[in-house]
Amino acid sequence: MIHAPGENRTGNNYWQAQTARRLASAGITVARFDLAGYGESLADKDLSVWDRQIAEAVSTARSYDASAVHVTARGLHAALLPDSAPGLRVAVFPPEPRDLDWWGQNAGRSGTWEARSDAPADEVSFWAACGVETNLLGGLTAPICVLDELVRRMCSSEAAPGWDLTLCTEEGRTADPSRMIAGRQGLARLEADRHGLQDVLHNALMMWPRQPGPEGAE
């Protein structure tokens, strides 16, 4: 499970921790970790390190003979979902490209961006779309080059079509069968939304077709 910007492996309002327990109770092993620069990590926020962390997590699971390895990523970090995985790639409440227009106003800048608690409304909307709890905006920092690349990937024509499942709010609903409604808002503030998210993820992973084992055994 890959957390969104501004959160760590527990997730906003503990949604990742709660979801992990729900999935574990169904027999699904779940790995949660802090991306470099978040949570207990003392490293810098680095896109290449994040890509490597995710690849190593998938590789480690495969080394333990996992029958499938599913990868979930929330918010703007859905841009980190690998090009391929031996399972489902699930984008959890990813921003729509139009939600990222505000960031385009900062093209050409360098250094580190620091979000402020008194940020203007259009910036607050941008961070909310990225999955950041807006009540905790003050002090959030990220290298501008990292945000540039994440936004570029998210707006790429190859982004969403490369995901196997997208969990969205009612506003993001389309006729695309790979998009499923999993809550009323993307910050998982309400307990009902967190339970709904858990249910949708649980059902999607449990329905994933198991590969035949030795001698045709399932």
Side-chain angles (χ1 to χ4, degrees):
M1 299 184 78
I2 304 167
H3 59 78
E7 63 180 2
N8 57 33
R9 64 183 183 274
T10 63
N12 284 346
N13 300 302
Y14 302 99
W15 85 268
Q16 283 204 159
Q18 294 170 356
T19 302
R21 286 195 290 269
R22 169 73 185 279
L23 297 177
S25 69
I28 299 174
T29 300
V30 182
R32 297 178 291 113
F33 54 90
D34 293 327
L35 292 171
Y38 285 104
E40 297 180 354
S41 169
L42 300 178
D44 295 329
K45 296 181 174 74
D46 186 314
L47 203 62
S48 63
V49 174
W50 294 348
D51 286 335
R52 188 165 66 247
Q53 283 182 278
I54 296 163
E56 289 177 355
V58 173
S59 176
T60 298
R62 293 295 283 172
S63 73
Y64 282 90
D65 297 324
S67 58
V69 183
H70 311 290
V71 185
T72 71
R74 194 176 79 83
L76 184 61
H77 284 171
L80 297 172
L81 286 169
D83 293 334
S84 62
L88 291 174
R89 291 161 299 158
V90 184
V92 180
F93 301 133
E96 301 292 339
R98 64 177 180 274
D99 297 329
L100 305 176
D101 287 345
W102 174 83
W103 184 252
Q105 301 172 18
N106 302 290
R109 297 191 183 187
S110 60
T112 299
W113 187 272
E114 181 171 357
R116 308 190 318 270
S117 57
D118 61 345
D122 52 354
E123 180 179 353
V124 171
S125 296
F126 166 79
W127 289 115
C130 291
V132 177
E133 174 52 72
T134 53
N135 294 326
L136 304 174
L137 262 185
L140 172 64
T141 63
I144 290 176
C145 62
V146 168
L147 291 171
D148 280 343
E149 178 60 14
L150 289 172
V151 170
R152 187 200 67 77
R153 290 187 189 183
M154 188 62 65
C155 295
S156 167
S157 60
E158 299 177 359
W163 304 331
D164 301 299
L165 179 63
T166 299
L167 305 187
C168 61
T169 63
E170 180 70 37
E171 292 180 355
R173 185 175 189 176
T174 68
D176 185 345
S178 70
R179 296 177 71 92
M180 300 179 65
I181 297 174
R184 286 166 287 184
Q185 51 84 27
L187 294 179
R189 288 171 174 163
L190 302 178
E191 185 175 0
D193 282 343
R194 294 194 293 276
H195 281 303
L197 185 53
Q198 292 170 32
D199 287 342
V200 172
L201 267 178
H202 170 270
N203 293 340
L205 300 190
M206 293 301 291
M207 291 173 61
W208 175 254
R210 297 180 182 274
Q211 298 298 319
E215 299 181 1
E218 290 292 330

